[in-house]
Amino acid sequence: MVKFIKMNVSRAMSKRWAQQCVFNRIVTFSTKPTQHAAAVSEPAAEQKTVSTPAAAAAQPATTTPAPTTARKPIVPSNYRFIYPEFLPDPKVEWRNPIREKLERLDMLDRRRQIDLPEFYVGSIMAVTSSDPHAAGKTSRFVGICINRDRCGLRSRFVLRNVIDHQGMEVVYELYDPTIQKVEVLRLEKRLDDNLFYLRDALPEYSTFDENMEAEHLEEGAPVPVNDIKVVLRPRPWLERWERQNLLGVANIDQYIKDKHRKSAERVQKPWEKFDMMKQYRSTIPEEEQKEVFAEVHTELHSMELQRKRNKRKRTFVKPKQLA
């Protein structure tokens, strides 16, 4: 009897303990219909609403929302030609995202202090820089831009001019703090990416007046392309120009022989224009370009507006009062 009572007590205790240890099951659900259910319910609702002609006439007409169009990017597509120095170096081993971002901030700070206008290879420019050895502690050089390379704070350009029958070239770093003023006297492009062949051309193609006045383009006008073809002097040349497929030279065939043509054909690589991997390694992807220019677009756009306002002020001439 005592054993039976103990068994009943143990069973009751085990049931009570099991009830205390059981967790209540929580069921969660969403009142938002799924896409399939919403698609099924919409035709059914339409059938219910237009079941009778009288009800259809009494029911107000519902307007269907217009399809949303994709938002156009605000960054102009020509920024990669106007500001190529903002794009990072395409070589992977030289990439550093933190350094690139800091350099872009420094470049914007420098552009707030000095006006760096738009220019291309082939534009005629004048650069005023500080020179401790000059008479007025400043020097001004006028010349044609024959090359533009590098990126970031290291970006540079080369100006060339013939002064006193002597070819002069000056290499400027675009964000050098010693530069005081950069002027574009004639904004234009050339047929080639660099104009190093002007070193072997006749001096008349590299001679520009130091007192040349600026030629202003109309606002919104496209940048003109100067399709002039220079005339080279006889050999020897500084480089083998016959191997570079130049478009801006007129008389290369006049000074080369058959052996030069054969050697130029041997070193040609016509398959490189189909090499997609080489093009990918030597350029920055378009998606990354949009990210970079979206970061600096606001500052650059405000600087462009300020430059246009200053240009209008310079072109306005205040009339003199009559005596």
Side-chain angles (χ1 to χ4, degrees):
M1 185 66 181
V2 176
K3 185 177 181 181
F4 179 74
I5 294 173
K6 288 182 178 180
M7 289 176 63
N8 290 338
V9 172
S10 61
R11 289 177 182 177
M13 292 292 293
S14 61
K15 289 181 180 181
R16 188 179 301 174
W17 180 259
Q19 291 177 0
Q20 292 179 0
C21 294
V22 170
F23 293 96
N24 294 328
R25 183 179 180 184
I26 302 175
V27 181
T28 59
F29 61 93
S30 175
T31 57
K32 184 178 180 181
T34 59
Q35 296 180 357
H36 178 70
V40 173
S41 61
E42 286 179 359
E46 292 178 358
Q47 292 178 3
K48 290 181 180 179
T49 53
V50 298
S51 58
T52 60
Q59 184 178 3
T62 58
T63 59
T64 57
T68 58
T69 58
R71 185 178 179 182
K72 296 182 179 179
I74 60 175
V75 179
S77 58
N78 59 348
Y79 264 28
R80 60 194 180 109
F81 303 110
I82 302 176
Y83 308 105
E85 69 273 6
F86 280 95
L87 295 177
D89 197 293
K91 293 186 178 180
V92 181
E93 59 269 18
W94 291 355
R95 296 294 302 274
N96 189 333
I98 298 177
R99 177 184 57 80
E100 293 167 1
K101 188 175 182 63
L102 294 176
E103 282 190 358
R104 286 194 289 269
L105 294 177
D106 292 341
M107 291 156 68
L108 291 175
D109 291 340
R110 179 58 180 164
R111 283 183 173 269
R112 295 189 192 99
Q113 300 174 5
I114 184 175
D115 181 19
L116 298 178
E118 171 188 2
F119 69 95
Y120 303 92
V121 173
S123 300
I124 302 175
M125 307 171 58
V127 179
T128 304
S129 60
S130 60
D131 186 2
H133 305 289
K137 301 298 182 182
T138 59
S139 62
R140 185 175 183 268
F141 186 79
V142 178
I144 182 173
C145 180
I146 63 174
N147 188 38
R148 186 175 181 180
D149 60 352
R150 295 185 180 180
C151 59
L153 292 174
R154 300 176 295 108
S155 60
R156 64 181 185 180
F157 60 97
V158 184
L159 298 185
R160 176 179 174 82
N161 198 354
V162 177
I163 302 174
D164 294 336
H165 308 285
Q166 180 68 35
M168 304 288 294
E169 292 184 3
V170 181
V171 182
Y172 290 102
E173 292 187 359
L174 186 59
Y175 294 93
D176 188 355
T178 60
I179 294 180
Q180 299 180 359
K181 189 177 182 181
V182 179
E183 305 171 75
V184 177
L185 305 180
R186 183 188 300 165
L187 182 63
E188 63 181 12
K189 299 179 182 178
R190 289 293 184 97
L191 299 176
D192 300 300
D193 295 335
N194 61 73
L195 306 179
F196 286 130
Y197 53 79
L198 290 179
R199 299 170 178 173
D200 290 324
L202 297 178
E204 60 194 42
Y205 296 101
S206 302
T207 305
F208 303 96
D209 187 9
E210 296 181 0
N211 300 321
M212 177 180 176
E213 296 183 358
E215 302 175 4
H216 298 286
L217 282 177
E218 295 182 1
E219 186 175 345
V223 180
V225 179
N226 191 349
D227 57 353
I228 186 175
K229 297 196 177 207
V230 304
V231 178
L232 298 181
R233 292 174 295 187
R235 297 174 69 98
W237 296 330
L238 295 176
E239 296 185 26
R240 297 179 179 178
W241 306 118
E242 70 274 4
R243 299 185 178 184
Q244 300 186 17
N245 299 323
L246 301 174
L247 301 177
V249 181
N251 62 334
I252 286 184
D253 295 335
Q254 181 179 354
Y255 299 112
I256 62 176
K257 300 179 181 179
D258 292 339
K259 63 177 182 179
H260 299 139
R261 295 188 181 92
K262 292 180 181 179
S263 62
E265 292 177 358
R266 284 197 299 268
V267 299
Q268 289 296 326
K269 298 178 181 179
W271 59 85
E272 285 188 351
K273 60 182 179 180
F274 305 107
D275 191 349
M276 299 181 65
M277 285 305 300
K278 181 179 180 180
Q279 182 180 2
Y280 177 78
R281 290 191 297 266
S282 59
T283 56
I284 301 297
E286 185 177 358
E287 296 79 8
E288 191 170 353
Q289 292 184 18
K290 291 181 179 179
E291 293 179 3
V292 171
F293 288 122
E295 179 184 342
V296 298
H297 169 68
T298 304
E299 292 290 339
L300 294 178
H301 183 62
S302 62
M303 294 175 190
E304 289 177 0
L305 295 178
Q306 184 64 32
R307 187 183 302 113
K308 291 179 181 179
R309 287 193 291 266
N310 296 338
K311 184 178 179 180
R312 295 192 191 100
K313 291 179 181 179
R314 288 194 298 265
T315 56
F316 176 75
V317 179
K318 186 177 180 180
K320 298 181 180 180
Q321 296 181 358
L322 299 177

